[in-house]
Amino acid sequence: EGVGAIAGATQATYAVPSAAMGDAGGYFCVLQNPLGTVNSGTAQVTVEAHTSVPRLVQARGSSNLKQAIVSFSERILTNAVSQDQWNYSIAGEGTPPGVAAAAVDATGTNVILTLDGPLTPGGVYAVTVNDISDLFGFTLDPKPSTAPLLAWVISRGFALEELFLNIGTGTLVGD
């Protein structure tokens, strides 16, 4: 950038977790060993302003009927607000289950809602979301946002695979 060496940039790779407009410019590497010093070519870096707001894209049920996955248009901030079950609610048939817990998954675009009871198979619900922000502090639009949620229907021809871990040794029964 023409302002000197970047503190800490002494490894084979260098990453900026969140670039700012002031980070735009030309960058080059200085390679040095006992035989001498060589400068790399200059790479031009452009930083564009983030102007989009997160949107609720969809909600879908799970095969165990006790979870719902809420998806957003971009990565959301993983904090106490996005993982607060009170920012999510489910409305629909009969007495819908409440949200017992909320956790942002590894992609950062989905929140896994753990419900305090099962959804009715084939039930039609609506998930409402409040107070969610993206990584840049932009809040959910519209606020609140609602998406339809359809509970799974297990029917003839449906294959359900479940994995049981740490259930003890037990007795093996042959066919």
Side-chain angles (χ1 to χ4, degrees), residues 61-150:
S62 67
S63 62
N64 69 12
L65 301 173
K66 292 184 180 178
Q67 288 184 322
I69 298 97
V70 180
S71 300
F72 297 93
S73 59
E74 59 184 279
R75 292 183 65 195
I76 61 169
L77 199 57
T78 302
N79 61 9
V81 174
S82 64
Q83 299 188 111
D84 183 349
Q85 76 264 25
W86 300 109
N87 283 322
Y88 307 89
S89 62
I90 297 177
E93 301 177 357
T95 304
V99 177
V104 178
D105 76 359
T107 69
T109 60
N110 298 310
V111 176
I112 312 299
L113 304 179
T114 301
L115 309 178
D116 62 9
L119 296 169
T120 301
V124 178
Y125 300 90
V127 175
T128 300
V129 180
N130 282 295
D131 296 327
I132 302 303
S133 298
D134 68 9
L135 300 178
F136 300 92
F138 290 98
T139 57
L140 186 65
D141 183 43
K143 179 182 163 187
S145 289
T146 301
L149 168 64
L150 303 176

Side-chain angles (χ1 to χ4, degrees), residues 41-66:
T42 300
Q44 288 298 322
V45 174
T46 303
V47 178
E48 295 181 2
H50 175 80
T51 58
S52 65
V53 297
R55 297 195 185 280
L56 176 58
V57 175
Q58 71 173 353
R60 58 192 185 281
S62 67
S63 62
N64 69 12
L65 301 173
K66 292 184 180 178

Side-chain angles (χ1 to χ4, degrees), residues 8-14:
T10 59
Q11 302 299 314
T13 61
Y14 178 73

